């Protein structure tokens, strides 16, 4: 796939770094249990490197919250989970997600979904997943799908978890526990594909140009990051958006010639990703002592896979493994409709989401990658920092 715009915006986002793209391969084996098992043969995952993993985000990292919400954005049916021993769980993947793999590298089981009634007591000690499919930075994003936990609601849900944790440990111990936990935030994609790029449903593209809209998102994001810091979290991994102009759902609009991405969509993401990198630098400038914020260059890492699929063992980059319509991207995976058989050769699982093979690569690049992938340090280095 010719993704010229992918490379262009990657270098704009990472212009402060002089390092070249560093390729990191990772196996894509499925996990057993609730995330434990992915990569557990790696020495890096032999012991927990953080007290907990708190996950905030959208369907890229949702592991079942929407199962319990009145939403049409669900994935708790076959063929989702076809390559997992767990079967369909609410993960928008053929198997494991970025959270499963990153958690395994950190030696932490993928945390349970907040909305599951059984997520209480000792189950929350390893962290909680608040991510919700169709959720965005803006409260109104994705509302046409029904109920979802927006970023602001996910922060409120985290406060609810804190109330439980306060009954389980002293104030001093809770502060120490939170300072050693890692917060992962994956937002922004829905604010574009399920808001800004849907002018028939949302007025945002009429009210804001791309730079103004990015600033709106970043201002909302910044407030919630500060709120999470004020609640005691100290280690943050904030992921940028991937090249949405290359996903099957956007390709299905027919706005790009064969073999190319929709450049306009990728270009409007530039101000957001560049701004998010700048926001991380601002948060690290001393105004939030005893903390570290890390920017995950999803756009660059995913763009590298799309530009060099053979290097990673992929053959199909422009359509989903399951789905209906042009590029298998008009309608996402239908219940009980068999997916493609050669799933490890596909970059995209459905109209919007990557296969577990891609998530395995992205997670390892986040964990151990160079500053072009994760800035200013990677997740492995972040876990080693002691703020107490």
């Amino acid at each position: 796939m010719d993704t010229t715009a992918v490379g262009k915006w990657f270098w704009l986002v990472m212009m402060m770094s002089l390092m070249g793209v560093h390729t990191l391969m990772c196996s894509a084996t499925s996990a057993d249990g609730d995330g434990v098992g992915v990569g557990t043969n790696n020495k890096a995952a032999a012991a927990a490197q953080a007290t907990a993993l708190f996950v905030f985000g959208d369907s890229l990292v949702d592991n079942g919250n929407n199962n319990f919400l009145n939403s049409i954005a669900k994935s708790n049916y076959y063929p989702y989970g076809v390559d997992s021993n767990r079967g369909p769980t609410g993960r928008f993947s053929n198997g494991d997600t970025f959270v499963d793999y990153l958690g395994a590298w950190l030696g932490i089981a993928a945390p349970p979904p907040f909305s599951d009634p059984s997520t209480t007591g000792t189950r929350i000690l390893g962290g909680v997943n608040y991510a919700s499919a169709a959720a965005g930075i803006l409260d109104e994003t994705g509302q046409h799908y029904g109920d979802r936990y927006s970023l602001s609601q996910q922060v409120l849900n985290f406060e609810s978890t804190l109330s439980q944790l306060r009954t389980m440990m002293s104030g001093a111990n809770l502060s120490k526990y939170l300072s050693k936990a890692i917060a992962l935030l994956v937002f922004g994609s829905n604010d574009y594909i399920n808001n800004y790029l849907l002018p028939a449903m949302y007025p945002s593209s009429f009210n804001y140009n791309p730079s103004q809209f990015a600033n709106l998102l970043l201002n909302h994001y910044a407030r919630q990051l500060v709120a999470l810091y004020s609640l005691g979290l100290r280690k943050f991994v904030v992921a940028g958006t991937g090249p949405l102009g290359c996903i099957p759902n956007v390709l299905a609009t027919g706005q790009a010639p064969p073999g190319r991405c929709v450049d306009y969509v990728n270009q409007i993401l530039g101000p957001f990703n560049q701004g998010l990198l700048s926001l991380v630098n601002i948060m690290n400038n001393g105004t939030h002592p005893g903390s570290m914020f890390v920017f995950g260059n999803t756009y660059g890492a995913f763009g590298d896979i799309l530009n060099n699929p053979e290097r990673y063992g992929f053959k199909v980059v422009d359509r989903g493994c399951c789905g209906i319509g042009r590029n298998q991207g008009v309608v996402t995976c239908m219940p009980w409709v068999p997916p493609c058989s050669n799933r490890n050769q596909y970059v995209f699982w459905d109209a919007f989401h990557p296969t577990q093979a891609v998530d395995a690569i992205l997670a390892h690049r986040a964990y151990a990658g160079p500053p072009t992938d994760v800035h200013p340090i990677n997740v492995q280095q972040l876990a080693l920092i002691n703020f107490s």
Side-chain angles (χ1 to χ4, degrees), residues 208-386:
Y208 307 98
N209 65 35
S211 293
Q212 292 169 336
F213 187 66
N215 286 335
L216 176 70
L217 296 180
L218 293 165
N219 286 335
H220 280 263
Y221 214 160
R223 284 197 292 271
Q224 299 303 332
L225 287 173
V226 171
L228 290 173
Y229 172 84
S230 70
L231 291 170
L233 290 172
R234 292 296 180 262
K235 298 181 180 182
F236 298 85
V237 180
V238 187
T241 61
L244 300 178
C246 305
I247 67 175
N249 182 257
V250 173
L251 294 178
T253 64
Q255 298 178 58
R260 288 191 62 86
C261 300
V262 180
D263 289 344
Y264 163 73
V265 173
N266 284 340
Q267 289 166 6
I268 67 173
L269 302 175
F272 175 76
N273 281 330
Q274 293 170 47
L276 192 59
L277 173 61
S278 297
L279 175 59
V280 162
N281 288 333
I282 291 171
M283 299 295 284
N284 286 332
N285 71 0
T287 55
H288 300 86
S291 67
M292 174 60 71
F293 293 78
V294 170
F295 170 76
N297 184 18
T298 310
Y299 194 105
F302 210 115
D304 183 39
I305 294 171
L306 290 173
N307 283 324
N308 305 283
E310 298 85 3
R311 183 188 302 170
Y312 297 94
F314 299 114
K315 294 182 178 180
V316 185
V317 301
D318 62 350
R319 61 185 184 273
C321 174
C322 70
I324 296 176
R326 187 172 183 168
N327 299 91
Q328 280 70 55
V330 177
V331 179
T332 195
C333 308
M334 299 297 290
W336 297 104
V337 175
C340 66
S341 59
N342 53 337
R343 293 180 284 278
N344 282 338
Q345 296 179 8
Y346 276 68
V347 169
F348 293 102
W349 160 244
D350 63 11
F352 303 97
H353 307 97
T355 57
Q356 69 169 3
V358 170
D359 271 331
I361 296 167
L362 296 177
H364 191 236
R365 291 178 74 144
Y367 179 77
T372 46
D373 288 339
V374 268
H375 169 86
I377 60 176
N378 59 40
V379 177
Q380 183 179 26
Q381 294 165 330
L382 177 67
L384 292 172
I385 297 176
N386 189 352

